[in-house]
Amino acid sequence: MSRLDQTREVKTSKGGQTKALILENALEMFRERGYEETTMRAIAERAGVALGNAYYYFRSKEHLIQAFYSRLHEEHLAASRPVLDRERKFKDRLSGVMRALLDVIEPYHQFSAILFKSAADPRSPLNPFSPESEQTRQESIGVFTQLVAGSKIKVPEDLGGELPFLLWLYQMGVILFWIHDASPGRARTRRLVEGSVELVAKLVTLASLPLLRPLRRTTLRLVAGLREEAPGG
Amino acid sequence: MSRLDQTREVKTSKGGQTKALILENALEMFRERGYEETTMRAIAERAGVALGNAYYYFRSKEHLIQAFYSRLHEEHLAASRPVLDRERKFKDRLSGVMRALLDVIEPYHQFSAILFKSAADPRSPLNPFSPESEQTRQESIGVFTQLVAGSKIKVPEDLGGELPFLLWLYQMGVILFWIHDASPGRARTRRLVEGSVELVAKLVTLASLPLLRPLRRTTLRLVAGLREEAPGG
DNA sequence: GTCTATAACCGGATAGAC
DNA sequence: GTCTATCCGGTTATAGAC
């Protein structure tokens, strides 16, 4: 059995140490020089292992990203914790979680371009709709489940079920914008978040209006279909 | 001056013929075997030219895609023409244009995954927000400008200016779904289009309600910012 | 100045010895 | 579990033909 199969390897075993060593060096180099500029040979060399050995632990260069991806999620969750514990207003919770996201991903801006490039490929294990991403995706959506559950906002029952998924989609959209945002400190994305959080909160409120009930139901039926129908959804 | 600089090369000149020859063979092979599986060497061989020659006409393998991309747009425009000439109802026009899109891109489904993978990279010339894509993007949005202009729908003036762009964004979302859609004949995407066209039409109508005016203005201000702020937008 | 052909280079990935 | 040797394909350099 190769180390590839062991998802949560203990870092004290020989293999676990080597794997961690390779990953750390890879992530550092990605951040320093970017993804394309960092060769597998250079990673192996810096980690003091042979090229083939790096491939023993990581099936491909892309798989190094997957490790990075799940680490990002953990950091985001941690950074969101204080907000989710403290705030009760839906808008403040959403705003806090989105800000936490931007803070966490900022150091990886240039690198992340590649990350999400791979993510756009349906055949890539990194694609957020792929079966391989199932776990991470559920965990990501979980943040928004907590966000909604712990807020004071009143949401129609049918919408409540889909809302975390919808907010996750919203987050994906923000990330897409962020990737293309070259402004210093990602100022534009931050402005987008300020404005759009406001809007999302308003929309959720409006969605309760009896007048808009038919529209809401149509929309939700569509979203439910979309969700089920997405491969791996 | 190399052939690379001549965007609209006459196909009767020697070079133009060679360029077209390479492109045709490349696209055929992409369709038959997919992108990754088609090597530049194989393309050159099939076209009866040397490898280096293919690179003389196309700066990189990705640039072959760009040529494909703009051809797709032309086909889409042509396929939309009858609908835009015949229909007057906004919903029917949108529905027709979207169906035309799905028809046109269907033969390239597996190949297009790669296309949009590249497109997701901010540094790629293929990315729809890049300066290099300016022309194609404007032409794509132009379809929706025509769509709106030729319809009977009444739209508030402020919304009217942004609507073509918003519809283009909607189209991009549909394409994203389509890429991940493995159902036969892209049945799921077709269902998504049926449902979402309805929804979009309803939203545009609702947007005129005086009650929703503040929401509309906030949204439009946000969208206008987003548009200006997108690199290359 | 326009075009073609051949021979590398480089880096991701794999095979197989130890 | 780690290494060395090698493959493979995108890309580039270069030499020269028309």
Side-chain angles (χ1 to χ4, degrees), chain A residues 7-133:
Chain A
T7 35
R8 292 288 176 192
E9 175 60 57
V10 198
K11 292 212 180 115
T12 45
S13 73
K14 177 105 181 273
Q17 277 180 326
T18 309
K19 184 170 182 175
L21 187 67
I22 294 167
L23 180 58
E24 291 318 314
N25 280 287
L27 293 187
E28 275 169 39
M29 294 183 82
F30 287 160
R31 209 172 2 167
E32 287 167 13
R33 322 179 190 175
Y35 181 77
E36 318 256 55
E37 292 65 34
T38 304
T39 68
M40 287 298 279
R41 281 166 178 84
I43 293 170
E45 192 179 357
R46 176 144 147 185
V49 302
L51 174 62
N53 200 14
Y55 278 97
Y56 177 73
Y57 289 105
F58 297 93
R59 206 186 303 276
S60 75
K61 199 178 174 186
E62 272 198 353
H63 279 77
L64 280 165
I65 299 182
Q66 210 168 23
F68 164 73
Y69 200 47
S70 90
R71 169 170 311 186
L72 263 194
H73 170 67
E74 280 165 30
E75 285 185 32
H76 181 212
L77 193 60
S80 301
R81 183 85 291 137
V83 176
L84 293 178
D85 285 346
R86 190 181 63 235
E87 307 292 350
R88 282 292 156 257
K89 276 180 63 181
F90 174 79
K91 204 188 91 180
D92 295 339
R93 289 167 75 81
L94 181 58
S95 169
V97 165
M98 294 307 291
R99 278 190 203 137
L101 175 72
L102 296 184
D103 291 342
V104 165
I105 63 184
E106 178 58 30
Y108 302 95
H109 187 255
Q110 71 154 344
F111 163 41
S112 292
I114 291 297
L115 196 159
F116 292 97
K117 171 181 167 168
S118 309
D121 183 351
R123 289 166 314 183
S124 166
L126 292 176
N127 142 26
F129 299 103
S130 77
E132 290 93 332
S133 304

